[in-house]
Structure formats: structure tokens, C-alpha cells
């Protein structure tokens, strides 16, 4: 063996923008994903797990126009004698891989193809507070179904997911349609693509700058919060009016909203078609019991209007949280999606209709925590302490019994010399109970059980009387180990 | 918007050595992993999900001694103005990240730290048949527990996992100990490190070449199957004898094996210590009910002896399968592990005892399929067909009812014109039933239900009488939709 040069010690650090997830962070996410997968499955969607690595070519969006295409994605070139290896990259979402999978396997997949996918995606972006370069997505998409019945189904699916995870009565799914906006642009007589794009970009800011802000930006321009002057699109007030009418057309009822939209698109055929689609979606959903208190036509939803080609959806949570500055605000968006009919075309030349939704897993987990719906369980293991090292086999037999009864349990496997450390360990693990047996107990066929749940409660707020009455440690025969620990877990104490 | 140059169409292909997983492939894996996680949890292990991306520095093993350290791992350099960005890489296993996590967070983690992890890992290796560059691992490790009680616990855990997934009575966990081998080398009087390494490498081939092969390789050398001559270590027959004695010391009983090992290590103190450890492991396991028919001391287990520092374990499945050439052979190994006390030292300078096991997820899934234990369920959705496009809301209401009753169901969302295509789709999805309603049915408040399970059975092997007697399609009132579909799913047909 060749001598190894002495290396400096490596740093034990996650790369910048990455993090580790521990214990309940991992299990509550997987429990939530399992619930979502259950709903997706019930709707007839099939699981798909594509590889984390794709060719840069297949991912598209980030085609290598420079030697090193690592803007936005983590990419590398395969080793190859001639330096001509493929460029590979980590997927940045679950939609681009779906397009590749569908194009690759379309002859073997059913049409329509309903698929769901959940897993990490990676973005090579500057990390920020709470923004990580690896995060989970959880998508459901229907490929090959042109009818808006597919879009309506995605909305119903999303509502059922939010009900399933425990957010019933606390969400609103808002639906808009890119075709209506196209109709508005047509009604305005905008022909120049650059000007259309400018209007689209402006509409995208509606969430931030509101109606008056959009008016200014469509016209002469606007002084933004930082004091910088943002040039406007240069439309007259009359020209801008249909856009404003579109954005503010939400009425008291679905009928009223649809009437307002009909007016906004004027004589545009594509616009009228878009309004008819929204009406059909609302009708289909109403027939399944989803009324406007859960899924509503709302043209003020603009996120993604530039990307999607038909209906667009966004799920918002309606309860208030307190932001980092102590101000109340609505929790906001947890999922979004829509119809994108051109995605597969890149590969095959044929347009394939597709519609789907992506759930922001971390946002949804945060929402569950904020709404108090995240299960807060004391689920630490029962710790069997070690008083006599030579009796290890007997301690192990105790945990084996507990585990066989389905109770989470372990023997203390650190250095048993300092008994205090063993109880500190049990505390750190959130243990509900500690089992104690020394030579006296072994001789008498007994064990001690320390009720750590009760102990913690007593330590917090019990009177001296209560303390005396319900000692948090008690003795019992060895043979009653499982039964008495079950009592403690059930809160029945001694 | 700038004009985009016309690009050639991208290829819709997974990168070489990667693959996609569909439907049941995904769900049976996640069901198996959930079962394993349940056992790990019951044993007191905590979930850990580290990031898929690590610094090459932290991963170790593959330190960048060349500009492009992509041998074995997928690695890339972070973009950085000066070209001095960190080298990052995808993790190649779950143990190296554990070492990094433990070193990084050791002050916040309990000691001992029991953790489990499951997820994909990536290897930049030449792909081959059945060998992929992304695959799942599923590990449990205990860090900070020096006692062999921790090793025994890992063996018990592994046995319980194999029982839980349904392989009870079909596995054997074999345990060896690197310290015993060290004792043997000491007893042989081998002092030269190069010679020790040569002996270790030879022992590693015991699985392939057997006792006589190892004898030849320890001595003068050996003609291998390809006709090439492999140089031997050059030991005399007498010198080689303790190694052979070690490898073949498995006796009829654990006592006999331990006695044989005791003889093989002679006067070596470290060897005697290793034998004592094996005895303690056997005793601890016996106290919990794990006898030699499930976990056995077996010094012929050599895999990993070079890597581990103490006890080594390997789980084998004992049932026979037929290999690709039609010959019967044992299924073989599905999991392995052992004690590795130096892993964290790279980061901190302090040795931290650790022991653990890694389960080969894909091997275990293949084993479950081979043993017939994989659940083969017809779990396609009930398909509500579309006869009248204008009635879509009513069809959607039907699936909504079915889903609310917990039945997997969907409306056919493809082009409904060709009804035959709808039934072909149902067939392709493995649907248990199709629901059919045209204008006649709607007028009469009825539906037709096609029992596709029964239909398939009849098509296969029914007599004409049976066919007549139990038609696979029947009519019922619309109000009985859910109840009658439930009948079909329960195999009660009409």
C-alpha cells in the first residue's frame, strides 16, 4: 500500500445552501407525503420516480450555450476520452423530467397518462434565509387529456389533498385562464409581440403593486418603493382598461365574474372560449360538491399566467400567521399549477396536452405547523438503563419484550458508569419512561419504572400533595414490565 | 423577446446507467421502506435525511488529487469568479454523510446516536445489466456506543426487519469479527504491513475460490479460471495454516465454533478479545430469543473484513432461485454491516465508535418478488367511461362518489369518440370495473357495470354455460353505484 500524504482535516459542513433534516422533520414530511400519495392514487394517478440526474439536453430550459452550463442547475460533464462527454444535471423540478419520460415511453404508457411524483429537486441559486438549494416537490399531472375536465379534476384533487392533510375550511383554490388574458390582449388590438410580453410581465406584478400600480406600469411608469423609476409600457388609459377590467373582474358570484370576463374580452373568439372553459370547470366542480367557498374563479390570480397555456390554479391558505416583524398576514400560496400544452413538443414535434399541479412540500409542512395541525407527539423510546454491566443480556431481553409488544424501546448503550447521564440521555430523547434494575431488583425479581411524562408534569406545576400522592417512580414485578410500561404510555401512571 | 435559434430536437433519454421507476415499482419500494422504518423506529433509531450533495472534501474517499475528481462519484466545481469554487459531489453511500453529520452536529445529538437513513445514492461507475448509477440504500447505525451490545442490537434489528418484510424462516445472519482475524495474523507472526494486506486481500477471495484456492493464493499462487497465473503471498503451508483454521472454524454449535477460533488465534490477546466479543454477541442474542438458526457465528463471512474494525455481519437469504442459466442457486446476500470505529476521526481527530448495517433495497425487493412475498394486487382504478360528452359533470359526480367511498376511480379523459379505446384503456390500467352510462341509462336513472375481473377470468377459461350464467356486465340503478362496484371489488360480481 502506498503511503498516504498527511491531509489537513476536512471540514464537517454541509455545502452552502444545503441542510440536514433530523427525526420528526423527516418523519412528518414522509407521513404528509404518504397522505398525499394516497389521494393521488385514489384519483387514478400512478407513481413515477424518474432519476435525479438528467441530460442537460433533455432538461431543456438551461441548454448549454456556454462551456459550463451551471446557471440555475447543478451540471457537470461526463468524463470521456475526447472531452465530448454528455452534460448531465440534477433535475430542477418534476415537470421537465415528466416531459422527457412521456416522450421516451409514450408507446408503453396509457393515454391519458395520470402520474404523480414526489422527491427532491435541486436549484443552483444563491441560498437565502429559509431558501435551500435542495427541496421537495410533490406533483400530479395528466398528460394527453385535452378536455378541461382534466383541469377540473386537478382542482378537485388539490382540494381533497388539503382536506386530507387537515386543512379543511382553511384554503381557497383560485382559478384563472390564460386564454381569457389572450382574449383581452386581442381585444386591445395589441399585435406587437414585444408589447404583449411587456403587458404580461406587468400583469405578473399585480400581486405586489395592486391595481393602481398596474395602471401606472401599463401607462407612463412608476416610482417603486426603492425610489427607482420603472418605465411603463406606454399604453393610453383607454388601452389599458381591458387589462384592468380582467384583473378586477372577480364578482360576488361565479356568474358575475364570468359576465365581467365576457365583457373584458369583447369580441375576441379566443377570449370567449377561455370564459367558456372557466364556466365548464366551475360546473364540473359544482357537480362534485366543490363550491366557490373552496374552488373559485378568480382572475386576479396571475402567477404562472405567462408560463401556462390554459387554466391556471393556485391554492392559498386563508388563516393568518404572524410574520417575522410581528404583523398578521395570510399564510398564502402552498400549491400552483395549470395547463401547459407544449411541453412534450420539444422532443417529439407533436403538441401533447397536459395539466397538473405542484405542491410546495416545505410550505405545506410549515402551514401545518403554523395551523397547529402538525402532530406533536412525544415519541421518544422507553430507555432501559444499565446498572449492572454484566446483566446486559437481561436488559436486552427487557427491550426485546417491549419491542415485541410494539413499544419503542432501547437499552442505554453509552458508558453506564454515571447513572445521571443515563437519565439525561432519556430526557434528551424525550423518553416517556425509564426502566431501572440493579442487583437488589434482580434478586427480588422486580424492576423500577420511572414515569418521565408524569415526572415532567409534576416538576412543572404539581403541589407537594400531588407529588406525594403520585410518585413518578414505582416498583413492580419483572413479569409486569410490558403491562406497566403500557400503563405509563396510556397516561395511567402507577 | 430575442429570436431563439432553431435547435435540433433533444433526445428523450435517461442518461446512461439511469432508469425510471413506474407505478408498482415505486409503491412496493416505498411500502417496504415504510415497514423497515417502522422496525428501525421501534428500536429507538431516529430518522436522518442529509442532503444528496456533499463537498468532495467531506466525502473523503475520493479526494480531488486531480483537477476533475469524478472517478467513482459525480462531482463538479461550484461556479466562482476566481475558479476556486468548492468541489461538490453526489453522495455515494449513507455512511460517509453520517460521519460528516455526526462530526458537524455532535454537540446537539444524543450519545449514543442511533440513526436510520434511506434514500438514493449515486455511483459514477460503468453501468452494466441490472447495475444502475442511482440506487437506494437503507441504513441503521449507532454512533458512540463502544460495547458489543450495540453490534448485537444491530443483528437483532436486521433479523426483525427481515421478519417484518415477510422473510421469516428464509434468512440467516452470519457474524464474524475482524479482531479475531487480527489475532490470527498476530499468531502467524506477520509483521510486514504489505504482507498483512496481501493476506487480507486473499481472504476476501474465500467466497469465490474456496479453501483450496485460498491455500494456493497464500502459498505459491494459482491458475485462475481465465488461465492467468495469480502470484501467491509466498507463505509456507505451516504459516498459512492459522488463516485456513480461522476460515473453516465454523463448528456444529456456537461453542464448537468459538473453541475452534480460540485455537486459531493461539496466544494472541487481541484475538482472544475478538473471540470473547463473539461469545458475548451470541449470549446477548440468545437472551432475546435469537438462536443460531437465525443469527450464527460464522468465520467464513469475509466480506468487509478489510473495512470494518470489529464485528462484521451479513444477512443471506437461504431459499433457492434459478439463475439466468436455469441453474438453482441460493439467493445470497441482502444486507451487511459491522463496526467501524475510525470514521468520524477524519473530521475531529477523535475516534468515535460506530456500528451499523446497510440493506440493499433493490436486492431485497428482488428477493421478495422471487419468494412470492411481493404483494401482487390488481389495483387499477375503476374507469367511468364517457358515452355522452355533454354529461361530463354527471360522470365526474360518479367518480367523486366512488372516491369518497375510498374506491380508486377516474373518468376517461381521452377522446371519448371511440368507445373501444375506452375499454382498451381500462384494460391497460388493470381496472377491476368499468361504469357505462349512455342516454338510455341516464333517462332511466340506471348505469351498466362491467366486471372486468370476472370478464378476464371468463375470457380465459369459462365454459359457455358459466358465461351465460354470470354475465360480466349488468345493469343497476344509478343510486347503487358505490354498493355494486364494492360487490365487484369484493369478487361478489352481480
Amino acid at each position: 500500500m502506498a503511503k498516504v500524504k498527511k491531509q489537513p482535516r476536512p471540514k464537517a459542513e454541509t455545502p452552502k445552501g444545503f441542510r440536514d433534516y433530523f427525526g420528526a422533520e423527516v418523519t412528518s414530511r414522509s407521513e404528509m407525503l404518504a397522505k398525499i400519495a394516497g389521494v393521488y392514487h385514489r384519483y387514478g394517478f400512478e407513481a413515477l420516480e424518474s432519476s435525479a440526474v438528467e441530460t442537460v439536453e433533455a432538461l431543456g430550459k438551461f441548454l448549454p450555450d456556454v462551456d459550463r452550463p451551471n446557471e440555475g442547475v447543478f451540471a457537470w460533464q461526463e468524463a470521456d476520452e475526447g472531452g465530448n462527454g454528455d452534460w448531465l444535471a440534477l433535475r430542477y423540478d418534476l415537470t421537465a423530467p415528466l416531459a422527457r419520460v412521456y416522450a421516451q415511453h409514450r408507446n408503453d404508457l396509457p393515454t391519458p397518462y395520470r402520474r404523480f411524483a414526489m422527491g427532491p429537486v435541486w436549484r443552483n441559486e444563491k441560498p437565502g434565509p429559509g431558501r435551500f438549494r435542495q427541496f421537495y416537490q410533490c406533483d400530479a399531472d395528466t398528460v394527453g387529456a385535452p378536455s378541461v375536465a382534466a383541469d377540473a379534476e386537478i382542482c378537485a384533487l388539490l382540494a381533497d389533498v388539503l382536506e386530507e392533510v387537515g386543512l379543511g375550511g382553511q384554503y381557497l383554490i383560485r382559478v384563472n385562464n390564460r386564454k381569457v388574458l389572450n382574449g383581452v390582449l386581442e381585444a386591445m388590438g395589441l399585435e406587437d409581440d414585444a408589447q404583449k410580453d411587456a403587458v404580461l410581465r406587468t400583469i405578473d406584478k399585480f400581486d405586489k403593486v395592486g391595481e393602481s400600480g398596474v395602471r401606472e406600469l401599463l401607462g407612463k411608469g412608476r416610482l417603486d418603493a426603492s425610489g427607482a423609476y420603472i418605465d411603463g409600457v406606454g399604453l393610453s388609459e383607454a388601452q389599458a382598461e381591458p387589462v384592468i377590467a380582467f384583473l378586477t373582474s372577480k364578482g360576488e358570484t361565479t356568474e358575475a365574474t364570468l359576465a365581467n370576463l365576457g365583457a373584458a374580452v369583447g369580441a375576441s373568439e379566443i377570449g370567449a372560449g377561455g370564459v367558456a372553459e372557466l364556466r365548464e370547470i366551475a360546473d364540473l366542480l359544482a357537480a362534485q360538491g366543490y363550491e366557490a367557498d373552496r374552488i373559485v374563479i378568480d382572475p386576479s390570480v396571475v402567477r404562472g399566467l405567462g408560463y401556462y397555456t390554459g387554466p391556471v390554479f393556485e391554492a392559498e391558505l386563508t388563516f393568518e400567521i404572524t410574520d417575522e416583524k410581528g404583523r398578521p398576514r395570510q399564510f398564502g400560496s402552498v400549491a400552483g399549477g395549470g395547463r401547459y400544452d407544449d411541453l412534450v413538443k420539444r422532443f417529439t414535434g407533436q403538441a401533447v396536452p397536459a395539466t397538473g399541479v405542484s405542491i410546495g412540500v416545505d410550505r405545506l409542512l410549515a402551514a401545518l405547523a403554523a395551523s397547529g395541525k402538525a402532530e406533536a407527539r412525544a415519541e421518544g423510546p422507553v430507555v432501559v438503563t444499565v446498572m449492572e454491566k454484566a446483566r446486559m443480556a437481561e436488559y436486552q431481553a427487557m427491550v426485546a419484550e417491549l419491542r415485541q409488544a410494539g413499544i419503542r424501546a432501547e437499552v442505554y448503550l453509552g458508558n453506564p458508569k454515571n447513572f445521571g447521564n443515563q437519565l439525561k440521555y432519556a430526557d434528551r430523547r424525550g423518553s416517556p419512561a425509564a426502566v431501572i434494575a440493579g442487583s437488589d431488583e434482580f434478586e427480588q425479581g422486580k424492576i423500577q419504572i420511572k414515569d418521565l411524562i408524569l415526572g415532567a408534569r409534576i416538576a412543572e406545576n404539581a403541589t407537594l400533595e400531588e407529588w406525594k400522592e403520585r410518585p413518578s417512580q414505582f416498583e413492580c414485578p419483572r413479569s409486569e414490565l410490558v403491562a406497566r410500561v403500557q400503563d405509563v404510555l396510556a397516561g395511567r401512571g402507577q
Side-chain angles (χ1 to χ4, degrees), chain A residues 445-474:
Chain A
K446 294 191 167 171
I447 53 170
Q448 304 274 337
I449 296 178
K450 206 171 163 63
D451 182 337
L452 298 171
I453 306 171
L454 182 65
R457 222 181 306 142
I458 288 176
E460 256 177 38
N461 55 20
T463 63
L464 188 61
E465 281 66 39
E466 287 170 324
W467 183 287
K468 277 184 193 160
E469 211 175 303
R470 295 194 59 189
S472 66
Q473 185 172 330
F474 59 90

Side-chain angles (χ1 to χ4, degrees), chain A residues 227-284:
Chain A
Y229 194 83
I230 312 291
D231 281 340
V233 181
L235 304 184
S236 70
E237 274 202 30
Q239 263 187 309
E241 203 46 54
V243 176
I244 303 297
F246 166 71
L247 290 173
T248 59
S249 57
K250 171 97 169 46
E252 283 294 307
T253 62
T254 300
E255 253 336 295
T257 305
L258 293 170
N260 292 341
L261 285 177
V265 299
S268 159
E269 207 172 306
I270 185 150
V275 177
E277 284 187 1
L278 286 177
R279 183 186 305 276
E280 200 179 335
I281 289 174
D283 288 348
L284 287 169

Side-chain angles (χ1 to χ4, degrees), chain A residues 27 172 214 246 271 295 303 305 354 396 402 408 469 487:
Chain A
T27 47
L172 188 61
V214 167
F246 166 71
I295 309 179
R303 227 181 45 161
L305 270 190
Q396 292 280 12
L402 290 167
R408 191 177 193 209
E469 211 175 303
D487 285 347

Side-chain angles (χ1 to χ4, degrees), chain A residues 97-147:
Chain A
L98 170 62
R100 193 267 304 153
V101 167
Y102 188 80
Q104 182 173 349
H105 300 282
R106 63 192 184 281
N107 295 328
D108 303 315
L109 292 171
T111 298
Y113 177 49
R114 287 173 171 90
R115 87 88 180 79
F116 72 89
M118 27 190 64
V121 301
W122 294 265
R123 302 265 170 99
N124 191 358
E125 293 171 336
K126 215 180 148 107
R131 273 185 59 193
F132 296 97
R133 305 208 285 177
Q134 172 178 329
F135 55 93
Y136 268 74
Q137 286 192 338
C138 174
D139 290 16
D141 294 84
T142 302
V143 181
S147 129

Side-chain angles (χ1 to χ4, degrees), chain A residues 50 52 61 76 124 166 170 191 252 414:
Chain A
S50 61
K61 212 166 162 185
W76 63 90
N124 191 358
Q170 302 190 283
E191 304 259 311
E252 283 294 307

